[in-house]
Amino acid sequence: MARLTHTVTVAPLDRGWFEEAAGTLVDLLDGSRTRADGSVLLADGRAVAGLRLLKGRHLRSGARYGEAPEPVKPGADGRVPAGSGTVGAADGLARPGTAGAGAAGGSSGPGASGGVPAPGPSATVGAVVLRAWRPAHSVEVESRVAEDGLALRLKVRLSEPRRPRALDLSLSGHRPAGGSLYRFSGRGAADLAAWWAAVDRLPSALPAARPPVTARAAHRLAKARLTVTPHPADDGSWRISVVLSVRGRWLLRPVGAVALFFARRPVERGFREAVEKTAAQWNTALAELTPRHGEALRAEIADALTETEPDKTVPGGPTDPWGPADTGGPEAR
């Protein structure tokens, strides 16, 4: 078994600001609605960038969302390039004559009905299914993605979203055309209440007995466990201890032990660099965040939700191959 550890120092996150930002985000989404074309609109009428309701009722259990499809431009010969489809095939969201149909084939031109061809073998398709939307209790979503022949399913549950207390996630993946070597799974949990309790301790106090953040991954050939434990420093910053344990399974155990004997230093160096890079990104992100509150914070989050990239088409354009997704009208929920 390999056990890698490293400790970094990061800037602290203000709990009050974090919970206010989380509550503001939930309120913005809870007050949103959809148009007949599936576009998700905030209360001020602006569309959430890149998000479209594909099936079901907005903010109701079973609602399915995906990225807004972009216009597909035909080539000089009038044909649509292969692999230029859109979301939906990964979750059976395809409709006849649209991008989800025939995903395995990935045709090089429009179908008989004029629909856009399915994504090619290397394309990414997917959808997010809302399992529960109870802002006072929990929010649960499930994401399904297919990329390069690999099917992934991610489930996320956030407890008490307006003042988050816990985050749980599970991940599974497999290659439909492969065997057990192409299957893996993982689970992670972040006890946010325990995290805040750990960083509120005195610097001289012992670290938390149980790590607030844990993750486990399993494959036929190996298992891994990751823990993250915070501790306050004398200057008010946080010292974060990260521990990664990897254990080989079956025939890989003796082979892995020999390989680790010769490659331990590069592996440890790579692990340290990865942890330090993550810490640097955290510090940069916090430095760039403006500690706004109230309406200023709400406006900043709303701008981030509705900001579109250059040359991107805003949802609701006439090129949408999906058609109406919510028949409840502009005020549908």
Coordinates of all heavy atoms in Angstrom, one line a residue, residues 15 18-19 160 163-167 190-200 212:
R15 N -17.1 32.1 6.6 CA -18.3 31.3 6.6 C -19.5 32.1 6.3 O -20.4 31.7 5.5 CB -18.4 30.6 7.9 CG -19.7 29.7 8.0 CD -19.7 29.0 9.4 NE -20.9 28.1 9.4 CZ -21.2 27.3 10.4 NH1 -20.4 27.3 11.5 NH2 -22.2 26.5 10.4
F18 N -19.7 32.8 2.6 CA -20.0 31.5 1.9 C -21.5 31.2 1.9 O -22.1 30.9 0.9 CB -19.1 30.4 2.4 CG -19.5 29.0 1.9 CD1 -19.2 28.7 0.6 CD2 -20.2 28.2 2.8 CE1 -19.6 27.4 0.2 CE2 -20.6 26.9 2.3 CZ -20.2 26.5 1.0
E19 N -22.1 31.3 3.1 CA -23.5 30.9 3.3 C -24.4 31.9 2.7 O -25.4 31.5 2.1 CB -23.8 30.7 4.8 CG -23.1 29.5 5.4 CD -23.4 29.3 6.9 OE1 -24.0 30.2 7.5 OE2 -23.1 28.2 7.4
E160 N -29.4 21.1 3.1 CA -29.7 22.5 3.6 C -28.9 23.5 2.7 O -28.0 24.2 3.1 CB -29.3 22.7 5.0 CG -30.0 21.8 6.0 CD -29.7 22.1 7.5 OE1 -29.3 23.2 7.7 OE2 -29.8 21.1 8.3
R163 N -27.9 27.1 3.6 CA -26.7 27.2 4.6 C -26.1 25.8 4.6 O -26.3 25.0 5.5 CB -27.2 27.6 6.0 CG -27.8 29.0 6.1 CD -28.1 29.3 7.5 NE -26.9 29.4 8.3 CZ -26.9 29.7 9.6 NH1 -28.0 29.8 10.3 NH2 -25.7 29.7 10.2
P164 N -25.4 25.5 3.5 CA -24.9 24.1 3.3 C -24.3 23.4 4.5 O -23.4 24.0 5.1 CB -23.9 24.2 2.1 CG -24.3 25.5 1.5 CD -24.8 26.4 2.5
R165 N -24.7 22.2 4.8 CA -24.2 21.5 5.9 C -23.4 20.2 5.5 O -22.5 19.8 6.2 CB -25.3 21.0 6.9 CG -25.9 22.2 7.6 CD -26.9 21.7 8.7 NE -26.3 20.7 9.6 CZ -25.6 21.1 10.7 NH1 -25.4 22.4 11.0 NH2 -25.1 20.2 11.5
A166 N -23.8 19.6 4.4 CA -23.1 18.4 3.9 C -23.3 18.2 2.4 O -24.3 18.6 1.8 CB -23.7 17.2 4.7
L167 N -22.2 17.7 1.8 CA -22.2 17.4 0.4 C -21.8 15.9 0.2 O -20.8 15.5 0.7 CB -21.3 18.3 -0.3 CG -21.1 18.1 -1.8 CD1 -22.4 18.4 -2.6 CD2 -19.9 18.9 -2.4
A190 N -18.4 15.5 2.1 CA -17.9 16.7 2.8 C -18.8 17.1 3.9 O -20.0 17.6 3.6 CB -17.6 17.8 1.8
D191 N -18.4 17.0 5.1 CA -19.2 17.4 6.3 C -18.9 18.8 6.6 O -17.9 19.1 7.3 CB -19.0 16.5 7.5 CG -19.9 16.8 8.7 OD1 -20.4 17.9 8.7 OD2 -20.0 15.9 9.5
L192 N -19.6 19.8 6.0 CA -19.3 21.2 6.1 C -19.4 21.7 7.6 O -18.7 22.6 8.0 CB -20.2 22.0 5.2 CG -20.0 21.6 3.7 CD1 -21.0 22.5 2.8 CD2 -18.6 21.8 3.3
A193 N -20.4 21.1 8.3 CA -20.5 21.5 9.7 C -19.3 21.1 10.5 O -18.8 21.9 11.3 CB -21.8 20.8 10.3
A194 N -18.7 19.9 10.2 CA -17.5 19.5 10.9 C -16.3 20.3 10.4 O -15.4 20.6 11.2 CB -17.3 18.0 10.6
W195 N -16.3 20.7 9.1 CA -15.2 21.6 8.6 C -15.2 22.9 9.4 O -14.1 23.3 9.8 CB -15.5 21.8 7.1 CG -14.4 22.7 6.5 CD1 -14.2 24.0 6.6 CD2 -13.3 22.2 5.7 NE1 -13.1 24.4 5.9 CE2 -12.5 23.3 5.4 CE3 -12.9 20.9 5.3 CZ2 -11.4 23.3 4.6 CZ3 -11.7 20.9 4.5 CH2 -11.0 22.0 4.2
W196 N -16.3 23.6 9.5 CA -16.3 24.8 10.2 C -16.0 24.7 11.7 O -15.3 25.5 12.3 CB -17.7 25.5 10.1 CG -18.1 25.9 8.7 CD1 -19.2 25.4 8.1 CD2 -17.4 26.7 7.8 NE1 -19.2 25.9 6.8 CE2 -18.2 26.7 6.6 CE3 -16.2 27.4 7.9 CZ2 -17.8 27.5 5.5 CZ3 -15.8 28.2 6.8 CH2 -16.6 28.2 5.6
A197 N -16.4 23.6 12.3 CA -16.0 23.3 13.7 C -14.5 23.1 13.8 O -13.9 23.5 14.8 CB -16.7 22.1 14.2
A198 N -13.9 22.4 12.8 CA -12.4 22.2 12.8 C -11.6 23.5 12.7 O -10.6 23.7 13.4 CB -12.1 21.2 11.7
V199 N -12.1 24.4 11.8 CA -11.3 25.6 11.6 C -11.6 26.7 12.7 O -10.9 27.7 12.8 CB -11.6 26.2 10.2 CG1 -11.1 25.3 9.1 CG2 -13.1 26.6 10.0
D200 N -12.6 26.4 13.5 CA -12.9 27.4 14.6 C -12.2 27.0 15.9 O -12.3 27.7 16.9 CB -14.4 27.4 14.9 CG -15.2 28.2 13.8 OD1 -14.6 29.0 13.1 OD2 -16.4 28.0 13.7
P212 N -13.1 16.0 7.8 CA -14.4 16.4 7.3 C -14.7 16.0 5.9 O -15.8 15.9 5.4 CB -14.3 17.9 7.5 CG -13.2 18.2 8.5 CD -12.3 17.1 8.2

